[in-house]
Amino acid sequence: MNEPVITPELVAKHGITPEEYENILKILGRVPTYTELGIFSVMWSEHCSYKNTKPLLKTFPTRSDRIMVGAGEENAGIIDIGDNLAIAFKMESHNHPSAVEPFQGAATGVGGIIRDIFTMGARPICAMNSLRFGELQSPEVRRLFRGVVGGIAHYGNCFGIPTIAGEVCFDASYEGNPLVNAFCLGVLRHEQIARGAAKGIGNPVFYVGPATGRDGLAGAAFASQDLTEASAEQQRGAVQVGDPFMEKLVMEACLELLAAKDAVAGIQDMGAAGLTCSTCETAARAGTGIEIELSKVPQRATGMTPYEIMLSESQERMLIIVNKGHEAEVQRIFDKWDLPWSEIGVVTDTGRMVVRNHGEVVADIPAAKIANDSPVYHRESKEPEYLNDVRAFQISSVQDTTTATQDLEALLAVPTIASKNWVYRQYDHQVRDGSVVCPGSDAAVVRIKADSLPMLSEGQSETVPAGTEKYIAMAVDGNGTYVYLDPYEGSKTVVAECARNLACTGAIPLGSTDNLNFGNPHHPELFYQLKESVRGLAEACDVFGAPVTGGNVSLYNQNPHGAIDPTPTIAIVGLVEKKEHITTQWFKDEGDVIILLGEAVDEGDPNLGLGGSAYLQNRKGIKNGTPPRCDLKKEKAVQDATLDCIRAGWVKSAHDCSEGGLAVTLAECCFTKNVALNTPRFTGAQVDLSALKCARKDALLFGETQSRIIVSVSPANADKILAKAKEHSVPAAVIGKVTGSGKDSELSIRLAQETLSWNVSAIYGTWWNAIGSVMDAAAH
């Protein structure tokens, strides 16, 4: 084979530093082969090794009595939900691929995260996503947006999994570098947990799934470098092509094989770094070695080199370590599902990953050295200078609003705040009949029922009590602007808001998964953002009892004009103990009392909750000011009080107060219920804020002071709610009542000097159509 000569230029092209190359020479005791260089390149990339972030990630809380598989142990974390049931969940990014090929980049992001779940032995039952784009006025942003949403819809709908919740944000900082974070959750019995370890010396190693092609070559390395126009064009081949129908077959075959008694010793999907990652990681986890023969790997293209076969990220492929003597079972099951399979290797006792091609050794590396012992860097951190301007900003320099009525209408049309129905109507969010609360409320709720579970082994008796049903709530949140303006406080707020969404739904947090989307860690100012953000995330996850079970780090998110806003996204999964506790955000009945839990305005905040707010950005054109403070103790008290009231059966609706402030929250309570397809229910409300003290009208209406929830209750329960709030030391005030429903319904807000009013049907139209009108007009 005519392999390239290893030169300093070739080493640099693989993203390996001279110091790292010296380390490779020491590990091997010789110059690497071209294939070995490629293996080190992907395994020591940030995407696979977390070499720039490992020290930070160790600060996350990762343990609880419920955690069965923790962060970093396997492909996804697993949490006990009682009655011998457990859930597996995780979130990962596909940012760079989606910037280059939005449809396939997003589609294969969904495919990859689904594989992470069924690799654990769990049946995937629902998906979420968190998406960020530049400003919607840009034709290029609309192209990326349309492609990404189309790719997610295509893969999820064809695979047959409900995409049940998510978030979409638009900001100029994501121009040219969209963020596409995909989440999946699955369910299994305790005894069905599968492990990704190459156990059992002499056990055969099987490749199952479609043939390997040249798509996705070195995708992990591509994701670990700055995105430029030149790199995007060059790396179009680093974007994989997905086949959701094939993945469905692979999943069913793998779950059937896992149910075959004692057949599987270990299983791993071929995700980032493909065959390379799956072989060395399974061997490293088990403390064994692995030897494979590439001529036995099914190949889609002719003349593929060992380098290409090892680094390809072709989709829907799995590596299975089979217990010796059970080979025929693998063959029978995969033939039944009409899927390619091949016995490509064996587990050894050498501790080495040995790769042969037609018998010739092309790679021979200690497995643990590439899987676990990647370089670890403690990057320089320096506070960015722009934070001086942020702290110096004073809201008093901005004139108070004189157009509050128009301000609310305008905020409801801001794409980040407006209805995301243009997105989620493309997703099947009810397939499998487990969706209880669909997109459109604070958190989604899915029902775990008998047919949600993977199959049992032949002759095995059911270990889950008959008639058991569980209700799992989930939400995903992020706020790049807050984190940009104050990485520590902003990151605490991201977790607090996500937990608040669950509390409003009646759920207690069980655990979380995160996606850290940041810029180039070699820049001290950008690394400062990451370091401070992780500090805030870790502190908040600990307070809310939501330990991190795993996640993903996506660095080098830069467009040619600079880095994205630092954007940690967090997904929290919770348990609703009883079906009757499930709560939604829209007002229910005429005459119900509206109560504000939490302070109306944080008077101790010099910007009164307006720093970094949607109002300041969109109505004043200012992206500045210290964002609202997040007092975790106060936040926890508000959430606990809300949950106590929901469990007591007193709360009819609950909605967290976030972007756009109190006015936007109240408007959403009036119209977010859809009784049928595109058939909203309009409910009026009379609100009186005249007794609430605040120096500024805009701060009272549109300020984003944290730790606030709007609940509606029957008049008979209003005093009970106020008493419970007092018990938790939570400020609470009756601020109005729900009025009649219908097209003539009005939302009126009385202030000290005036009363504002809006026709609910009219502002609903603005909110509901804001994104669709832009996208549909552009399509014509």
Side-chain angles (χ1 to χ4, degrees):
M1 286 179 295
N2 296 319
E3 291 200 333
V5 176
I6 307 299
T7 64
E9 291 76 23
L10 188 64
V11 171
K13 193 177 173 185
H14 279 75
I16 295 170
T17 67
E19 295 77 19
E20 288 171 351
Y21 185 65
E22 284 301 316
N23 196 5
I24 291 169
L25 294 177
K26 279 182 195 163
I27 290 168
L28 296 176
R30 56 176 169 77
V31 172
T33 65
Y34 182 51
T35 301
E36 287 171 335
L37 186 70
I39 287 170
F40 275 104
S41 168
V42 291
M43 290 307 296
W44 284 8
S45 68
E46 177 64 34
H47 192 80
C48 290
S49 73
Y50 302 125
K51 60 188 177 186
N52 293 297
T53 51
K54 260 183 189 170
L56 298 179
L57 300 179
K58 285 179 179 171
T59 65
F60 280 136
T62 57
R63 295 279 160 225
S64 82
D65 293 343
R66 287 182 178 268
I67 290 182
M68 302 178 74
V69 176
E73 290 179 38
E74 292 283 349
N75 294 285
I78 294 185
I79 290 183
D80 174 20
I81 58 169
D83 293 314
N84 203 49
L85 289 171
I87 49 173
F89 61 88
K90 191 182 181 185
M91 181 161 61
E92 282 207 340
S93 65
H94 236 216
N95 301 339
H96 280 32
S98 300
V100 176
E101 288 285 352
F103 184 92
Q104 288 297 351
T108 52
V110 174
I113 199 66
I114 289 173
R115 280 196 304 284
D116 277 340
I117 300 308
F118 72 74
T119 297
M120 299 304 302
R123 178 173 288 282
I125 61 165
C126 63
M128 296 194 293
N129 54 69
S130 170
L131 312 176
R132 279 171 171 73
F133 301 89
E135 292 175 331
L136 206 52
Q137 291 78 10
S138 158
E140 174 61 8
V141 167
R142 292 196 295 270
R143 182 186 74 83
L144 290 170
F145 181 37
R146 193 182 301 279
V148 164
V149 171
I152 292 169
H154 166 71
Y155 210 99
N157 295 356
C158 293
F159 182 86
I161 189 170
T163 302
I164 198 170
E167 58 156 4
V168 190
C169 299
F170 300 86
D171 185 276
S173 90
Y174 306 108
E175 196 88 37
N177 198 133
L179 301 184
V180 178
N181 296 173
F183 167 100
C184 184
L185 180 141
V187 61
L188 70 169
R189 300 170 185 85
H190 288 190
E191 66 273 15
Q192 291 179 313
I193 296 174
R195 298 282 182 172
K199 292 178 186 164
I201 309 306
N203 275 341
V205 175
F206 274 72
Y207 169 116
V208 299
T212 295
R214 290 192 171 98
D215 52 331
L217 273 181
F222 167 50
S224 304
Q225 56 186 259
D226 285 353
L227 185 63
T228 63
E229 286 174 25
S231 77
E233 194 50 48
Q234 181 189 344
Q235 290 293 345
R236 235 164 252 286
V239 180
Q240 311 92 328
V241 177
D243 181 346
F245 298 109
M246 178 67 77
E247 177 131 322
K248 174 72 170 168
L249 296 177
V250 170
M251 179 193 75
E252 295 296 350
C254 286
L255 291 178
E256 185 173 337
L257 182 62
L258 287 167
K261 197 167 169 55
D262 300 327
V264 177
I267 182 169
Q268 172 94 342
D269 75 305
M270 295 187 209
L275 196 50
T276 290
C277 190
S278 56
T279 48
C280 68
E281 281 192 355
T282 51
R285 283 196 193 110
T288 58
I290 196 163
E291 188 167 319
I292 61 170
E293 170 55 64
L294 295 184
S295 63
K296 294 182 178 177
V297 172
Q299 293 163 45
R300 201 164 65 230
T302 54
M304 287 186 73
T305 65
Y307 180 97
E308 290 172 329
I309 297 168
M310 289 303 291
L311 269 60
S312 166
E313 293 183 9
S314 292
Q315 296 291 286
E316 292 89 36
R317 303 175 302 156
M318 306 289 288
L319 192 79
I320 300 179
I321 291 86
V322 178
N323 281 316
K324 204 167 179 58
H326 289 268
E327 295 89 338
E329 193 72 11
V330 181
Q331 296 165 18
R332 180 187 68 77
I333 289 170
F334 278 83
D335 283 346
K336 168 190 163 182
W337 289 96
D338 197 21
L339 287 166
W341 58 267
S342 177
E343 187 176 334
I344 65 166
V346 66
V347 178
T348 67
D349 60 359
T350 64
R352 302 184 75 81
M353 169 195 185
V354 178
V355 181
R356 297 179 185 274
N357 189 41
H358 298 285
E360 180 189 345
V361 175
V362 293
D364 183 352
I365 310 172
K369 288 288 181 189
I370 39 175
N372 302 333
D373 296 348
S374 64
V376 175
Y377 297 109
H378 296 265
R379 295 291 178 199
E380 186 191 343
S381 166
K382 179 187 170 191
E383 185 176 288
E385 286 186 17
Y386 74 81
L387 288 177
N388 293 327
D389 293 335
V390 170
R391 291 170 189 141
F393 175 83
Q394 294 184 324
I395 196 65
S396 55
S397 65
V398 179
Q399 188 181 350
D400 196 353
T401 182
T402 56
T403 56
T405 306
Q406 295 93 312
D407 290 337
L408 176 58
E409 292 163 4
L411 284 172
L412 290 170
V414 170
T416 297
I417 291 175
S419 169
K420 307 304 181 297
N421 72 86
W422 184 87
V423 175
Y424 65 70
R425 75 186 184 210
Q426 297 182 53
Y427 304 154
D428 188 335
H429 44 264
Q430 292 183 305
V431 63
R432 295 189 58 78
D433 194 32
S435 308
V436 180
V437 178
C438 293
S441 195
D442 281 322
V445 179
V446 67
R447 174 172 56 118
I448 293 175
K449 53 197 196 310
D451 71 353
S452 306
L453 295 165
M455 67 190 73
L456 290 164
S457 302
E458 194 175 332
Q460 183 185 355
S461 55
E462 181 57 80
T463 53
V464 176
T468 299
E469 284 196 346
K470 300 281 183 181
Y471 295 89
I472 300 295
M474 65 206 80
V476 60
D477 271 296
N479 192 320
T481 298
Y482 279 10
V483 181
Y484 171 75
L485 296 171
D486 189 329
Y488 169 68
E489 285 292 333
S491 297
K492 286 197 301 183
T493 299
V494 167
V495 180
E497 186 185 337
C498 200
R500 203 183 312 137
N501 284 327
L502 260 64
C504 289
T505 309
I508 320 157
L510 297 174
S512 60
T513 175
D514 62 68
N515 213 122
L516 305 179
N517 307 280
F518 287 80
N520 189 324
H522 296 272
H523 298 316
E525 292 87 355
L526 299 183
F527 193 73
Y528 172 91
Q529 294 175 336
L530 176 57
K531 192 175 170 184
E532 284 296 286
S533 173
V534 168
R535 183 165 74 94
L537 294 171
E539 203 175 301
C541 285
D542 192 42
V543 167
F544 297 114
V548 177
T549 63
N552 179 238
V553 177
S554 173
L555 305 185
Y556 304 95
N557 286 293
Q558 318 238 145
N559 59 44
H561 306 293
I564 61 161
D565 282 352
T567 311
T569 55
I570 189 121
I572 302 182
V573 175
L575 183 67
V576 185
E577 290 182 340
K578 293 182 180 175
K579 184 180 180 180
E580 52 269 28
H581 294 166
I582 297 170
T583 308
T584 48
Q585 70 183 37
W586 41 85
F587 291 144
K588 302 297 186 294
D589 300 304
E590 186 173 355
D592 284 348
V593 175
I594 303 168
I595 295 174
L596 169 65
L597 297 174
E599 289 178 293
V601 178
D602 178 0
E603 295 287 350
D605 173 1
N607 291 323
L608 300 174
L610 288 169
S613 65
Y615 166 79
L616 207 57
Q617 288 181 77
N618 293 284
R619 296 302 284 160
K620 302 294 184 180
I622 298 168
K623 186 176 180 175
N624 205 352
T626 306
R629 302 179 298 177
C630 183
D631 182 323
L632 294 174
K633 190 178 173 188
K634 283 184 182 176
E635 179 72 51
K636 183 79 166 66
V638 168
Q639 293 186 21
D640 287 349
T642 304
L643 275 168
D644 281 358
C645 294
I646 286 173
R647 287 179 184 148
W650 305 332
V651 175
K652 290 191 181 181
S653 76
H655 188 17
D656 89 302
C657 198
S658 55
E659 280 124 326
L662 207 48
V664 165
T665 303
L666 289 163
E668 288 173 343
C669 291
C670 290
F671 54 54
T672 46
K673 178 175 175 60
N674 261 332
V675 285
L677 181 65
N678 296 340
T679 310
R681 177 174 179 263
F682 303 129
T683 307
Q686 284 179 357
V687 176
D688 186 349
L689 305 180
S690 60
L692 300 177
K693 291 191 177 71
C694 183
R696 295 179 65 105
K697 190 195 305 182
D698 53 7
L700 183 57
L701 291 170
F702 310 115
E704 295 173 8
T705 290
Q706 293 300 297
S707 313
R708 297 183 298 169
I709 292 174
I710 294 286
V711 297
S712 67
V713 305
S714 69
N717 290 324
D719 287 342
K720 296 175 189 172
I721 300 260
L722 297 174
K724 180 59 73 175
K726 192 173 182 183
E727 193 181 302
H728 283 273
S729 302
V730 168
V734 171
I735 59 165
K737 65 176 182 179
V738 178
T739 55
S741 57
K743 288 212 165 183
D744 297 327
S745 303
E746 283 206 339
L747 166 63
S748 70
I749 300 179
R750 185 181 169 197
L751 304 172
Q753 307 295 331
E754 62 182 317
T755 298
L756 310 170
S757 66
W758 299 265
N759 175 272
V760 172
S761 171
I763 56 174
Y764 166 83
T766 301
W767 173 81
W768 181 262
N769 297 313
I771 292 176
S773 59
V774 175
M775 296 304 293
D776 295 342
H780 299 101

